[in-house]
Amino acid sequence: MTKDKLIKRNPTDYTVAVTMIKEAILRSQYQAARLVNGEMLSLYYGIGRYISANSRDGFWGTGAIKTISERLRRELPGLKGFSETNLKNMRIFYEEWSPVFEQKEIERTILSVPTDKIETKLLLPGKSSVSTDDFECFLSLDFTHHITILNGEKNASKRIKYIRLSLENRWSARYLQQQIKDNAVDKYGVMPSNFSTTIRDSGDAIKALNMFKDTYLLDFINVEEIGVRDIEDVDERVVEKEIVHNIKKFIMTFGHDFAFVGNQYHLEAFKHEFFPDLLFFNRELNCLVVVELKTGDFKSSYLAQLMTYLRILDDKLKKPHENPSIGIVLCKTADKDFVEYVIQDYAKPMGVATYRFSEEMPEKLRKALPDVDELRKLL
């Protein structure tokens, strides 16, 4: 149907639009709330395409989407997920992803679907530039998370990464929003570790690899406020003190499902006493996580120190139902290739990550960080 023919219809009569959307929902043979996630997204994509084609350029007029939403709820009692806001989000969902999914090789197929019809099978794997694995992740993420990503991130490749991270780490929509504000996707690299060889269960090894970042931004530590003239003057105890003082913020930075156990935690074996810097318990990994803070560059001797802590933790503190403890060296800088070379000789699971203060960050990246008020709200 051409636009000229569409204009002949009364633009304030949305009966056709309501009927089209209602039929698309009913054609799926399930109530909308019971659709599997992939079918739901495909339905939303088709409805978004229909709304986009008819609402842009002022054809439907102001208030059209609100009117359509209200009539849908009257004609389909109990219908959820089709509010005015959600219908607009469906339009966003289509308009933002259609350039990615509707590539030249399937352009004719897509264009052959009239814009006055709603097709709910347009999201097909293998028909776009997105890999099959990424497409499966795309269809597995719920609509609320999708809209959070679309509203917060404009780069398509980064959006795909946030989809993966959200699924792998089971982020809530609220936590995802914070991660996007923190530009977390640029900080998620592979931390040098020996998890693949020291953690027996491959599933647990993958979880551990996904749990930890290779670099942590300690943006809540202000070197000016703690009274040092040079960043090199910041020693381990100063960093530890600031982390403990801002423990909630550090846990937010460190990851999800962490519980703080203590700092300078007393360990003893054969009358020898040890005091690891920070001790956590991670519910997802079901194990203790010890973090040793170091300034300057990574040294191989740090792993030997960490190995001692892990041995004592597993012998003295670990409960029978818990997994072996994990150790993390958090230092100022590290040569990843060197770390991966020396860490393989250790029998306990451990990794090496680095940290940065906000003062050392480029101005552009620093401006992307959430402000103090936003952090307070999140906490």
Side-chain angles (χ1 to χ4, degrees):
M1 186 178 292
T2 64
K3 188 172 181 181
D4 290 338
K5 291 181 179 179
L6 285 171
I7 293 175
K8 292 180 180 179
R9 193 190 314 143
N10 184 352
T12 61
D13 181 7
Y14 305 119
T15 301
V16 174
V18 172
T19 301
M20 294 299 302
I21 295 174
K22 183 172 68 173
E23 288 179 353
I25 296 170
L26 296 177
R27 266 203 318 269
S28 61
Q29 299 178 352
Y30 298 98
Q31 291 182 354
R34 294 182 181 178
L35 287 174
V36 296
N37 200 68
E39 291 176 287
M40 178 75 83
L41 293 179
S42 191
L43 173 64
Y44 286 174
Y45 187 84
I47 292 175
R49 181 176 185 268
Y50 175 75
I51 294 174
S52 177
N54 289 280
S55 64
R56 295 305 186 188
D57 300 324
F59 173 71
W60 267 357
T62 305
I65 296 178
K66 180 180 180 181
T67 301
I68 292 169
S69 173
E70 291 172 349
R71 288 190 54 178
L72 277 172
R73 282 183 286 182
R74 285 200 303 269
E75 296 189 23
L76 291 175
L79 180 68
K80 294 181 180 180
F82 291 85
S83 64
E84 177 187 4
T85 299
N86 262 12
L87 289 177
K88 289 180 178 179
N89 283 338
M90 291 175 205
R91 181 173 61 184
I92 292 171
F93 185 60
Y94 165 75
E95 290 176 347
E96 292 295 321
W97 282 115
S98 57
V100 177
F101 292 130
E102 299 178 10
Q103 299 298 305
K104 290 183 179 179
E105 58 268 24
I106 61 166
E107 187 174 352
R108 292 180 181 177
T109 302
I110 295 296
L111 292 178
S112 67
V113 179
T115 55
D116 63 336
K117 302 292 183 183
I118 297 179
E119 174 57 62
T120 61
K121 300 295 182 184
L122 293 177
L123 289 181
L124 300 174
K127 297 295 185 180
S128 71
S129 61
V130 179
S131 69
T132 301
D133 288 343
D134 285 339
F135 196 85
E136 289 179 0
C137 288
F138 180 92
L139 293 180
S140 299
L141 191 67
D142 67 79
F143 189 64
T144 300
H145 282 70
H146 271 292
I147 294 303
T148 300
I149 293 171
L150 292 176
N151 287 334
E153 177 58 62
K154 300 304 179 186
N155 182 277
S157 61
K158 287 186 178 182
R159 285 172 171 174
I160 293 293
K161 290 180 181 179
Y162 277 120
I163 289 172
R164 276 195 166 276
L165 288 171
S166 297
L167 288 171
E168 292 170 355
N169 297 289
R170 292 188 288 189
W171 288 345
S172 67
R174 186 178 181 184
Y175 188 78
L176 168 62
Q177 185 179 42
Q178 182 61 44
Q179 292 301 297
I180 294 173
K181 288 182 179 179
D182 196 26
N183 202 30
V185 74
D186 288 338
K187 303 168 195 166
Y188 270 82
V190 178
M191 181 183 71
S193 71
N194 61 0
F195 294 158
S196 60
T197 57
T198 57
I199 299 178
R200 294 181 181 179
D201 186 282
S202 59
D204 289 340
I206 292 173
K207 286 180 183 179
L209 285 168
N210 291 330
M211 183 66 67
F212 301 100
K213 307 175 190 177
D214 62 340
T215 301
Y216 292 90
L217 173 63
L218 306 186
D219 59 298
F220 51 83
I221 297 180
N222 190 318
V223 295
E224 295 178 358
E225 291 182 358
I226 57 182
V228 293
R229 296 182 179 179
D230 196 292
I231 290 174
E232 296 301 324
D233 294 332
V234 182
D235 61 22
E236 292 95 334
R237 192 59 60 87
V238 172
V239 175
E240 176 196 329
K241 180 180 177 182
E242 289 299 306
I243 288 176
V244 172
H245 182 68
N246 297 276
I247 195 63
K248 289 184 179 179
K249 293 180 182 178
F250 180 75
I251 291 175
M252 284 170 53
T253 301
F254 208 55
H256 68 281
D257 279 342
F258 282 92
F260 181 55
V261 178
N263 67 299
Q264 293 299 308
Y265 196 90
H266 179 246
L267 300 177
E268 185 174 347
F270 299 98
K271 297 183 179 180
H272 291 271
E273 294 182 312
F274 302 91
F275 299 89
D277 293 329
L278 298 166
L279 186 62
F280 299 90
F281 184 83
N282 185 271
R283 294 173 60 212
E284 174 73 15
L285 301 175
N286 190 32
C287 70
L288 292 163
V289 177
V290 60
V291 179
E292 191 65 13
L293 298 164
K294 301 295 180 182
T295 58
D297 198 8
F298 164 80
K299 296 179 182 178
S300 57
S301 58
Y302 298 158
L303 296 178
Q305 181 184 13
L306 199 58
M307 183 74 176
T308 301
Y309 296 160
L310 292 173
R311 170 67 69 183
I312 299 173
L313 284 171
D314 286 344
D315 288 348
K316 306 288 186 180
L317 203 62
K318 182 179 81 68
K319 298 185 183 299
H321 68 278
E322 294 174 358
N323 292 322
S325 305
I326 290 176
I328 304 294
V329 174
L330 191 58
C331 52
K332 188 67 181 59
T333 57
D335 182 330
K336 286 188 176 183
D337 292 334
F338 177 63
V339 172
E340 291 175 349
Y341 176 72
V342 299
I343 203 171
Q344 299 306 320
D345 286 335
Y346 290 88
K348 295 286 187 181
M350 56 180 74
V352 177
T354 58
Y355 64 85
R356 292 184 298 174
F357 300 123
S358 61
E359 284 72 16
E360 302 170 85
M361 297 174 61
E363 183 66 18
K364 183 178 180 181
L365 184 58
R366 199 184 313 173
K367 288 180 178 178
L369 292 172
D371 59 32
V372 176
D373 289 337
E374 288 175 339
L375 283 172
R376 286 199 185 103
K377 290 177 183 178
L378 193 60
L379 291 171

